[in-house]
Amino acid sequence: MSRTDSSPAGRLTAAQGTALSVGAVLGTGVIALPALAADIAGPASLLAWTALVVLSVPLAAAFAALGARHADAGGVSTYARLAFGERAATVAGWCFYLSIPPGATAAALFGGSYVSSALGGGTATTVVTAVALMAVVTAVNATGVRLTGRLQVILFALLLALLAAAVLFSLPHADTANLRPFAPHGWSAVGPAAALLVFCFAGWEAVAHLAGEFRRPERDLPRSTAAAVVVVGVVYLAAAFAVITVLGAGAARSGAPLGDLMARGLGEGSRPLAAVAALLLTFGTMNTYYAGAAKLGAALGRDGALPRWFARGSTAGETPRRSLLVVSALALLTLVAVAVTGTGAQPAVMFSAASFSVVYAIGVAAAVRLLPRGSWGRRSAWSALVAVLALLVLSGPHLAWPLLVACAALLSVRVTRRRRARTDPALVTAT
């Protein structure tokens, strides 16, 4: 459903949209996953980073075109409904909505690990920090999108400055010899590394859920997305290159690679600064995802894919506090489960990444169907669709989670239709 002339005007500017886009994508990937990718593929993980940066161009372009043309809080769910009907919309909405709690848990734990690395305290410090991050992000989003946008602009400038310091001060210690052997685990390891790194690049669809909040989405959303693609690509590649060439074989064993970079360039006393950077990056990612998911939950309630209780806040300019409460509660429960079982954040990362891949597949397929023939958005969607299908294959057994969510979503559609049939048979026949 596109925004009509009678709908309330949004308040986000192109600058705030750029900050939100960067915050959605640039975050926990920088502070945690370069080391994990290096452990899987060695220096060849740089190929996986490059491939996903290239994929980001058509993917972000397709979602920006959809958001500008169909500005609605439902985001991918709305696009799927327009292109394929209610079932596809519900599956896309549920997969995105329920990918946020495990993703937010992993992000919070990554940020917490930097604090424990700097201050000590081990797992207890990590978990307490993660809980604090969740609480602050929830409180900020409960105040409304306007405050979220302003805070994101400030964080955007701070995190880029801190990342630039970590990379630039450490690069004098880089050694190209650390690039050899380039593929110690074989070229086939690049694929699994790319599957892991999907989590780093999840986010291009998130701001589409906030498209209705832009003052002029048809102009500001493409501009902010293009700027974000450039910023994210440069920062990710620079950080990954620095981690591998500066830390060498130790990169694969690093629990806080950004902290290790800053320690090489500025000395061990800079580790608290790395913790601050990690917290800022984590907050930026969680901030955007909580905002986007809360809006999506409200839109799903409005459209009948979730109970009507969720619907309050689905209109542009309103704050979806009920949906936000559910997202926050589920994330906290996931964090408790991870802390009790001791499984660590990696399974949460992979399940969340697999869900994002399913959302991407549905979203770009909808773009192919909805965008005008010959448009730059439709051409981008075709390119992105091919790449996303490959990512689904690489997700392997972790697709079990989004498949389970999809089954539950389809069951909800069936239940909803039965309920409608009892109250208004003509409505069910029409749909």
Side-chain angles (χ1 to χ4, degrees):
M1 182 175 74
S2 301
R3 187 170 66 192
T4 64
D5 293 338
S6 61
S7 300
R11 294 169 293 189
L12 289 178
T13 65
Q16 290 175 335
T18 299
L20 285 167
S21 296
V22 172
V25 182
L26 180 63
T28 53
V30 173
I31 67 174
L33 295 189
L36 294 179
D39 187 36
I40 294 173
S45 62
L46 290 174
L47 296 179
W49 283 102
T50 303
L52 288 172
V53 168
V54 172
L55 169 61
S56 292
V57 176
L59 192 64
F63 281 118
L66 282 172
R69 191 175 180 85
H70 303 283
D72 184 82
V76 177
S77 180
T78 294
Y79 313 146
R81 176 174 290 102
L82 294 173
F84 306 116
E86 182 180 1
R87 290 185 178 88
T90 303
V91 169
W94 279 49
C95 282
F96 183 90
Y97 194 67
L98 293 179
S99 70
I100 299 306
T105 296
L109 288 172
F110 287 151
S113 68
Y114 272 70
V115 175
S116 63
S117 175
L119 304 180
T123 302
T125 300
T126 299
V127 172
V128 169
T129 303
V131 172
L133 278 168
M134 290 180 177
V136 172
V137 169
T138 300
V140 167
N141 277 275
T143 64
V145 175
R146 186 173 186 177
L147 180 57
T148 299
R150 289 176 176 176
L151 283 178
Q152 204 71 30
V153 169
I154 297 172
L155 292 176
F156 172 71
L158 289 174
L159 72 87
L160 285 183
L162 290 167
L163 276 172
V167 172
L168 293 177
F169 283 107
S170 67
L171 279 180
H173 302 275
D175 186 353
T176 56
N178 289 327
L179 294 172
R180 299 186 295 270
F182 190 71
H185 308 300
W187 296 106
S188 61
V190 175
L196 175 74
L197 295 179
V198 169
F199 183 80
C200 302
F201 290 86
W204 296 119
E205 80 297 336
V207 176
H209 297 288
L210 301 174
E213 303 293 340
F214 280 82
R215 292 177 183 173
R216 296 181 60 182
E218 70 284 350
R219 181 198 68 179
D220 293 340
L221 186 56
R223 288 182 178 181
S224 63
T225 301
V229 167
V230 173
V231 172
V232 168
V234 170
V235 172
Y236 266 162
L237 291 175
F241 179 80
V243 166
I244 289 174
T245 57
V246 173
L247 301 183
R253 300 184 297 272
S254 176
L258 182 61
D260 291 341
L261 284 182
M262 296 188 75
R264 289 287 183 94
L266 301 173
E268 288 294 325
S270 64
R271 287 191 181 273
L273 184 61
V276 172
L279 289 176
L280 290 173
L281 289 166
T282 303
F283 179 84
T285 300
M286 294 175 64
N287 193 38
T288 301
Y289 267 106
Y290 272 52
K295 273 292 186 184
L296 171 60
L300 292 174
R302 175 199 66 193
D303 296 334
L306 283 174
R308 291 291 299 175
W309 180 85
F310 284 79
R312 181 175 295 180
S314 61
T315 303
E318 295 182 348
T319 302
R321 293 186 177 88
R322 291 181 176 180
S323 180
L324 174 64
L325 176 63
V326 173
V327 171
S328 181
L330 290 175
L332 182 59
L333 288 174
T334 305
L335 176 61
V336 170
V338 169
V340 170
T341 60
T343 57
Q346 187 169 350
V349 170
M350 295 305 298
F351 285 128
S352 184
S355 296
F356 287 134
S357 295
V358 171
V359 173
Y360 285 159
I362 296 174
V364 295
V368 168
R369 188 161 186 175
L370 294 175
L371 297 176
R373 292 180 180 274
S375 66
W376 61 269
R378 195 167 191 264
R379 289 193 293 267
S380 297
W382 273 115
S383 300
L385 182 59
V386 174
V388 170
L389 290 177
L391 290 177
L392 285 175
V393 174
L394 293 173
S395 296
H398 297 100
L399 280 174
W401 171 243
L403 288 177
L404 180 62
V405 171
C407 290
L410 293 174
L411 179 61
S412 77
V413 171
R414 188 173 181 179
V415 171
T416 300
R417 288 195 169 193
R418 286 181 176 178
R419 186 181 300 116
R420 289 177 180 174
R422 289 194 298 267
T423 58
D424 191 348
L427 179 60
V428 175
T429 301
T431 58

